[in-house]
Amino acid sequence: MFLRLLLPFFIAFSPALDAQSLHFTLTGATMNAPGNRAVLVSNQYGVLRYVKLMEKGSAKEEALSFDVQQRLGERLSLTLVRELDGGGIYGFENTTFSNLADGAVIDMPAPERAGAEYREVEFIISGVSGVEEVVVLSPLEDGAEYRIDRQRLLLSFRALDEADIFVLFRFKGQEDYLYYYGPMQQANRIEMDISGLKGGLLQHEISLPATQSWDGHIKGYHQGSDKPCYLFNSIQQKAVSPRQRIRAYLPPGLEWEYFGLVLSNLGSDQYGFYDRYEKSLPAALGELSFDPLLTDHQSKAFRFQTTEQETGQFYAVSYSYGLLNKMPAKWQIYGLVEQPGEVDFILPDLPDGLLNMLPELQILSQPAAITKSLFRCARCESYDFRLAPAKLLQQSWRLEKGLLERGQWLEF
């Protein structure tokens, strides 16, 4: 009789025994990013536990907070679905943060260089009979234009307002660069004789772990200035040929407080370096031991093994798709290696309403390639990915913490 009386009690309250409520928050910046179409929460088997759809052109969103019931044995992940609008043709960029903890806050980074301003710069350098090369290391809005007119070099460009002006010149009959370095002003019309340019430029070479085509920049901050000087800029230096070392150029006579280095490469064998260096630049960038193999990878699922050495580090698995309209299309999953063993994940099932809003998502069953990446962090002792996962995507945070990425691209 006693057991019969207790049975309804256990039935009524059994959810409390095998589930817990997890609280998630998406900041206003995350909710108001262009192209938001859905927020999904799913378990490791792809079963949805929460769905919020967002119509195109909907009113400004506030920060979003909600609770999701996590059942016994489940690991919950949050996905942001974003539409990419190419002027009437569409793609998508979905981002999943896996195995989140109660109280997680999703604060997605703003697009790089959002709202960047550029300012007109004009050089008139007299006494010039010919020029072999002009390298503007500062980021440019477009390209730089120059010509010789009556023994004068006329150079014009629009450079990033938040950086100093740093230009290298190699004139006819000279082997070494002369340079101009100075702060960005409201108006920048610089007139001088060629003898006013400086020589003695310092050069610093950095060895890299592989012969690749490297893309990125090095910014230096010297005492007395809060604006960076770009010392290496792959775009302006047209560093498209494979190489195993890069060269930074430093104006002499300055005491550098710190340097910020961002460097990566394209191709199937991928590297990424993000770090901040005090006083001086390194002579070489090291390697990360990395097993690129996936135990299994399918159109909606993947598995791979992790080791003791990888515990506490981070991973990313990125699916890329080939839309007929050639728009970018990818789905990225980020996670923490919590212990040695196996990582397995199934992409969430998408509701019909979302597929109607963004029909390009129908291609998810036909991925073109998958990339497996591992991140090693030099200074992440106090960081908990499960509570603030989007920090991993912020370039400023990567520089602060010192992040090394190693990835391998595989075709399906």
Side-chain angles (χ1 to χ4, degrees), residues 197-219:
L197 295 173
K198 297 179 180 180
L201 194 64
L202 302 178
Q203 301 182 30
H204 182 92
E205 288 197 342
I206 301 176
S207 296
L208 301 166
T211 301
Q212 302 276 0
S213 297
W214 296 97
D215 177 55
H217 62 258
I218 299 173
K219 293 191 289 187

Side-chain angles (χ1 to χ4, degrees), residues 19-61:
Q20 62 173 326
S21 180
L22 300 189
H23 188 74
F24 297 144
T25 298
L26 283 73
T27 64
T30 300
M31 293 300 296
N32 285 287
N36 279 343
R37 290 295 168 268
V39 178
L40 312 174
V41 176
S42 60
N43 65 18
Q44 67 268 37
Y45 309 111
V47 179
L48 289 173
R49 295 290 181 232
Y50 174 89
V51 176
K52 177 179 173 60
L53 302 183
M54 291 172 276
E55 293 289 342
K56 190 171 184 177
S58 59
K60 182 177 175 66
E61 297 278 356

